[in-house]
Amino acid sequence: AGMTGVFYPCTCVFVQREPPQFIASAFTDFGKWMDGWETRRKRISGHDWCIIQLGVPGLIHGFDVDTSFFTGNHSPHVSIQAGCLDQLPTFTLEGDRTDMAASDSQMAAVTKLGSEAWPELVSVSELQPGYSDSCHNYFRVNFNRRVTHIRLNMYPDGGIARLRVYGVGQRDWSSVSTNQLVDLVALTNGGVCLGYSDAHFGHPRNMIGLGRAANMADGWETARRLDRPKKLKVDQQGILQVPGREWAVFRLGHPGLISSIEVDTNHFKGNFPDSCRIEACTLTPEEETQCIRTRWNSGKWQVLLPPQKLRPHHIHHYSEAELMPSHPVSHVRLIIAPDGGVSRLRLWGRLTPINAASVNQRRPTSKL
């Protein structure tokens, strides 16, 4: 698309999850087909830009501007600005505008946003061409305000294959009632994976992602433990008696009282865990930092969900009656035995008051 500016309210090519690809023989009526966003060679004043609505509003810690395969046509420089919009603007895409700039009505709608005056997260910076050893252009960000939209400026034109925005989700909790059930660990609500024992085939942060898992890669799967007994035995509940276990620790998006749990082994049919249990605790920011240093060997963990036998490719629901008596918590640890894969973890509960000073002192950390 050759454009002076455009607003993307949802998914567009260069923010797709899949890595970019190159097809040497692919051409269109507008020129070489490229897997990304490429503007025409600019022959008028100005520079090209687009505005993107984040899939998950939150705190941004970094960017990857990926120029893969744009070797003679990458954008030489970029800058990135950010805004937080209380109300989402309404834009009409007006059909396929390939090889065209944004329409007059779209430009008028964008003008109302004042995006050219948004705070700058990445100042004008040089990009490297899209060869395999130089295509990833990483930018660290120190910006402590919630972001819903970003404006990507390319100077003056060119191509970008993918844009990755790394950070921690942050929900506006002011509109959430303390009587409302919320998935306290969801990525969209600010849940963060802080540590894990093993992530051989998938990362545990996937378990708090959107919707149900698309496949096994969209979940958490560990390697098979080598300390498994040569012959397996079970207890009266049918749970394997094995020495090993794997675990993942999460900070909730907001402290709360958990009343129900969902453990989903969707897609894991011959490689699901035999059993799981969940522990919980309340930690201050200082205690959290210490736990990270000690690989979570903390004595504050208390059992929230006792050991449960799991089934393959199944959503396991645990009601309040099946949970141990609990108090408001800020962190949870999912433990599986002996190994295997889990696609989603949901922790439904109600918010509890949070100390404002503690929130201000807490700097979200993540392996996102």
Side-chain angles (χ1 to χ4, degrees), residues 188-209:
T188 53
N189 291 331
V192 177
C193 177
L194 295 174
Y196 54 90
S197 60
D198 180 79
H200 194 80
F201 299 109
H203 199 289
R205 63 166 171 255
N206 294 339
M207 291 188 289
I208 61 175

Side-chain angles (χ1 to χ4, degrees), residues 102-312:
S103 68
D104 291 342
S105 62
Q106 289 174 332
M107 292 300 293
V110 168
T111 299
K112 296 179 181 179
L113 301 179
S115 61
E116 65 279 355
W118 287 355
E120 195 172 59
L121 274 61
V122 176
S123 59
V124 178
S125 302
E126 183 178 0
L127 293 182
Q128 299 301 312
Y131 299 105
S132 59
D133 60 348
S134 63
C135 60
H136 292 285
N137 299 268
Y138 295 107
F139 301 99
R140 187 181 296 274
V141 171
N142 184 16
F143 189 70
N144 60 1
R145 288 156 57 184
R146 184 172 181 264
V147 173
T148 62
H149 294 71
I150 61 172
R151 171 173 166 143
L152 174 66
N153 303 292
M154 60 165 65
Y155 302 99
D157 54 34
I160 295 172
R162 293 291 187 270
L163 174 67
R164 305 299 188 206
V165 184
Y166 298 96
V168 177
Q170 188 177 75
R171 183 167 179 173
D172 180 5
W173 295 107
S174 62
S175 60
V176 180
S177 167
T178 54
N179 294 321
Q180 180 178 342
L181 276 178
V182 179
D183 182 0
L184 296 170
V185 77
L187 182 149
T188 53
N189 291 331
V192 177
C193 177
L194 295 174
Y196 54 90
S197 60
D198 180 79
H200 194 80
F201 299 109
H203 199 289
R205 63 166 171 255
N206 294 339
M207 291 188 289
I208 61 175
L210 301 173
R212 293 197 77 189
N215 48 47
M216 284 193 295
D218 193 20
W220 171 47
E221 183 182 359
T222 72
R224 299 193 193 203
R225 293 189 62 92
L226 300 181
D227 58 359
R228 304 188 310 282
K230 294 181 177 65
K231 292 186 177 181
L232 301 176
K233 297 180 180 180
V234 300
D235 64 10
Q236 293 180 342
Q237 293 178 274
I239 295 177
L240 287 179
Q241 300 301 287
V242 291
R245 63 176 192 170
E246 305 292 355
W247 54 266
V249 173
F250 299 89
R251 182 206 299 143
L252 305 183
H254 193 290
L257 186 62
I258 297 171
S259 57
S260 65
I261 293 175
E262 178 181 305
V263 178
D264 189 356
T265 57
N266 190 29
H267 303 297
F268 293 100
K269 299 176 181 178
N271 51 351
F272 63 100
D274 174 70
S275 65
C276 76
R277 78 172 191 265
I278 296 177
E279 301 172 339
C281 66
T282 299
L283 298 175
T284 66
E286 294 76 20
E287 289 172 330
E288 178 189 282
T289 300
Q290 180 61 27
C291 285
I292 292 173
R293 291 198 190 104
T294 61
R295 290 274 293 170
W296 296 96
N297 292 319
S298 165
K300 298 192 69 173
W301 294 112
Q302 295 182 339
V303 175
L304 175 63
L305 177 69
Q308 303 290 323
K309 185 78 173 180
L310 296 179
R311 295 166 53 188

